[in-house]
Amino acid sequence: DAGVIQSPRHEVTEMGQEVTLRCKPISGHDYLFWYRQTMMRGLELLIYFNNNVPIDDSGMPEDRFSAKMPNASFSTLKIQPSEPRDSAVYFCASSSTASNQPQHFGDGTRLSIL
Amino acid sequence: AQTVTQSQPEMSVQEAETVTLSCTYDTSESDYYLFWYKQPPSRQMILVIRQEAYKQQNATENRFSVNFQKAAKSFSLKISDSQLGDAAMYFCACRATSGTYKYIFGTGTRLKVLA
């Protein structure tokens, strides 16, 4: 079975530009999570969805960040306008409702804002 | 609120030796699951082992085992016969069985394996 698929794997762009990160969860998983990982702050949960509905977005750093899940097989995380401090690795993960099932992570997107 | 604490930012182990990574957690939930994830330099997050809090028996997966002390809220990971490929960041995580399905992650422990 295909795992969680993220694109792009790497993104380099100049500050002020809009950045869109994409994620395809594992089929049948009804939870989707977006994380940001940096050396300074570790792994931070930004937002998570259940059945395409955002449940908790308290980790979204500011209004420049937005996330959508238009259907069960696709989600985006958008940063507009981007800033150098947004540089990080962004992970998408999905899981099923069964609480004993682990999250499955994508390979992450390494974002560099110049 | 749930918290997960990994007090060892970095650990080293000689190849073929045994090492234990510490994790403590705090939760008000009566039932929950605990996980250890491995993140090698390739940055993939790989599940190593999971433990169901209501089970007293410690989980084991090949060379990986846990020491789960529920009363002490401790969930340490033991790696036996360490191999060079075990070098990675290791994250401990906790998830309640009901209510929020958020995973709470610790800050990670970097494991170095010395040849």
Side-chain angles (χ1 to χ4, degrees):
Chain A
D1 288 338
V4 175
I5 299 172
Q6 288 187 248
S7 64
R9 186 159 172 79
H10 305 277
E11 175 87 12
V12 181
T13 191
E14 293 189 348
M15 66 176 293
Q17 298 297 308
E18 179 179 289
V19 173
T20 300
L21 310 182
R22 297 171 177 78
C23 175
K24 177 179 170 56
I26 291 173
S27 177
H29 282 186
D30 46 10
Y31 282 86
L32 184 139
F33 305 80
W34 281 102
Y35 292 91
R36 178 173 67 176
Q37 186 177 35
T38 61
M39 289 292 291
M40 291 297 292
R41 302 173 70 91
L43 194 63
E44 301 174 276
L45 176 66
L46 300 177
I47 186 172
Y48 78 97
F49 296 83
N50 177 219
N51 291 325
N52 314 338
V53 176
I55 302 301
D56 185 347
D57 65 354
S58 59
M60 296 285 263
E62 47 197 278
D63 292 345
R64 297 185 297 107
F65 285 70
S66 62
K68 294 182 179 180
M69 193 165 185
N71 57 62
S73 59
F74 184 65
S75 177
T76 59
L77 177 67
K78 189 173 293 188
I79 308 173
Q80 166 65 16
S82 58
E83 297 182 4
R85 60 193 168 116
D86 301 330
S87 298
V89 178
Y90 290 81
F91 285 100
C92 175
S94 69
S95 70
S96 68
T97 300
S99 56
N100 67 335
Q101 294 303 306
Q103 287 188 344
H104 296 264
F105 284 78
D107 288 343
T109 295
R110 181 174 294 280
L111 176 64
S112 297
I113 309 296
L114 305 178
Chain B
Q2 296 179 101
T3 60
V4 175
T5 302
Q6 294 179 251
S7 58
Q8 306 154 316
E10 191 172 291
M11 293 281 287
S12 295
V13 63
Q14 204 70 34
E15 198 176 4
E17 297 295 310
T18 296
V19 64
T20 298
L21 308 184
S22 300
C23 173
T24 58
Y25 61 93
D26 192 15
T27 179
S28 57
E29 300 288 337
S30 58
D31 199 12
Y32 47 90
Y33 287 88
L34 298 163
F35 305 87
W36 277 99
Y37 281 86
K38 169 186 177 181
Q39 187 180 39
S42 64
R43 82 170 183 244
Q44 289 177 297
M45 291 285 281
I46 303 164
L47 177 70
V48 174
I49 199 165
R50 81 186 83 170
Q51 174 77 42
E52 301 173 42
Y54 67 88
K55 287 188 176 179
Q56 293 186 342
Q57 186 174 7
N58 289 325
T60 299
E61 289 287 343
N62 301 315
R63 298 182 295 106
F64 298 85
S65 62
V66 300
N67 183 6
F68 175 47
Q69 302 289 328
K70 190 172 184 178
K73 295 185 176 177
S74 170
F75 180 59
S76 59
L77 175 69
K78 186 171 84 170
I79 307 174
S80 304
D81 186 24
S82 298
Q83 301 175 358
L84 295 177
D86 295 333
M89 281 288 286
Y90 287 82
F91 293 93
C92 178
C94 179
R95 179 192 189 186
T97 60
S98 62
T100 176
Y101 280 82
K102 287 168 65 170
Y103 286 67
I104 306 300
F105 283 86
T107 52
T109 296
R110 181 172 301 282
L111 178 66
K112 295 184 177 181
V113 181
L114 309 173

